[in-house]
Amino acid sequence: YYGTHYSNGGVVLFFLMRMQPFASMMIQLQAGKWDKPDRLFHSLEECFSGAMVNSADVKELVPEFFFLPDFLINSQRFDYGIRQDGHRVDNVVLPDWCNNNPHEFVAIHRQALESEFVSQHLHEWIDLIWGDKQI
């Protein structure tokens, strides 16, 4: 059971905060400043881990994960601040399997989405979200 909607405007801004107009919208949502650095989208591994251990951390991937590497790059050099662990929030930290390359990351995601396996099992996800497999 999802205690919240799995996709909402806040999630979209969370993932797309490195691009305009989403950066401005995120600042507006946070009363004129960036959110705390520890709560910003910083690392794919950290984001995935959070969703796996916290049932209230529900984030659906935005379409940009499959076609637009720009959302992972801080090309406008926004100052998001420094996290409590001492790391500066900048470009998204990507998994080792993509060599920290946003273009490779998006290409691999797109290949997976367009794979035969996903085509054969997509109906299971639809049933889980909207159909008879909802909890």
Side-chain angles (χ1 to χ4, degrees):
Y1 170 74
Y2 295 109
T4 181
H5 295 288
Y6 39 83
S7 185
N8 61 58
V11 171
V12 172
L13 297 179
F14 174 81
F15 284 130
L16 302 184
M17 67 181 206
R18 288 170 175 79
M19 302 184 319
Q20 289 293 5
F22 307 102
S24 295
M25 295 165 78
M26 177 67 116
I27 290 170
Q28 183 178 11
L29 179 68
Q30 297 297 332
K33 58 188 182 304
W34 293 111
D35 197 359
K36 303 284 185 204
D38 287 275
R39 292 195 298 233
L40 296 174
F41 182 36
H42 167 71
S43 155
L44 255 295
E45 179 181 1
E46 186 178 284
C47 189
F48 179 77
S49 294
M52 294 303 293
V53 299
N54 181 355
S55 61
D57 186 357
V58 182
K59 294 181 183 80
E60 185 175 57
L61 300 183
V62 293
E64 286 76 3
F65 271 85
F66 305 96
F67 78 92
L68 188 66
D70 301 23
F71 85 101
L72 301 164
I73 304 165
N74 184 11
S75 61
Q76 298 192 33
R77 309 310 310 155
F78 293 121
D79 183 4
Y80 299 114
I82 298 175
R83 297 163 45 93
Q84 291 181 31
D85 63 10
H87 290 100
R88 177 168 292 284
V89 178
D90 192 29
N91 296 331
V92 175
V93 178
L94 299 173
D96 291 339
W97 51 259
C98 71
N99 303 308
N100 204 37
N101 181 323
H103 296 274
E104 189 171 339
F105 175 83
V106 168
I108 292 169
H109 258 203
R110 187 169 185 148
Q111 284 176 329
L113 179 66
E114 295 174 346
S115 72
E116 188 62 32
F117 179 86
V118 170
S119 293
Q120 291 175 355
H121 295 276
L122 186 60
H123 69 281
E124 295 169 10
W125 175 78
I126 292 169
D127 288 344
L128 177 64
I129 301 301
W130 292 291
D132 63 349
K133 301 285 191 274
Q134 290 184 40
I135 297 174

